Amino acid sequence: MAAHAAELDPVVPPMPERNPKALHEAIAEHAPELLPDFDAHWKRAIADTFDLGPVPAFVARWWVEYAIARDPKLDAHLHDLEHRAAESTDFAEAKALLEEASRIRHKALRTEPGE
């Protein structure tokens, strides 16, 4: 029975190399819903300005977005935390929920290529 349950769990693809091209390819293949925003951000921040200075920040932002989106369970959990925080009328509860969401995002940023 455990083997059957494992088959139903989607395989989380590994992180790509940490560069815009590899990240773009991984998003296109495994999280295509992010691609329009990725491309628009690239055009606005990099391509239209001819400024490569923002590339590290761009990669960091989309690294986190992809690291979370590639894992449907993690993505759903993070969105649930953020939704519950937005709906909460208890300051301490909302703060705790957002701190957990922040920990998830920070952990995603530290994910290495191949993980």
Side-chain angles (χ1 to χ4, degrees):
M1 198 63 139
H4 181 68
E7 291 172 9
L8 298 177
D9 286 340
V11 174
V12 177
M15 291 300 287
E17 291 301 311
R18 200 181 297 253
N19 64 64
K21 182 179 180 188
L23 192 52
H24 184 272
E25 291 170 357
I27 288 171
E29 184 173 350
H30 302 291
E33 68 280 2
L34 298 179
L35 203 53
D37 288 339
F38 178 98
D39 288 342
H41 187 192
W42 178 264
K43 184 176 184 325
R44 182 179 67 252
I46 314 298
D48 286 352
T49 65
F50 297 95
D51 182 3
L52 298 179
V55 170
F58 176 89
V59 170
R61 188 241 169 156
W62 287 100
W63 188 263
V64 170
E65 294 299 321
Y66 175 69
I68 293 166
R70 72 191 175 121
D71 182 343
K73 288 181 181 179
L74 181 60
D75 191 41
H77 177 62
L78 178 66
H79 285 90
D80 178 61
L81 290 170
E82 293 171 340
H83 176 76
R84 288 170 41 213
E87 298 292 317
S88 179
T89 57
D90 180 280
F91 176 78
E93 176 187 39
K95 181 180 180 214
L97 291 165
L98 290 175
E99 286 172 347
E100 175 63 20
S102 179
R103 281 190 291 278
I104 290 169
R105 290 187 178 282
H106 282 279
K107 183 178 179 185
L109 182 59
R110 293 187 307 270
T111 305
E112 293 294 328
E115 289 184 6

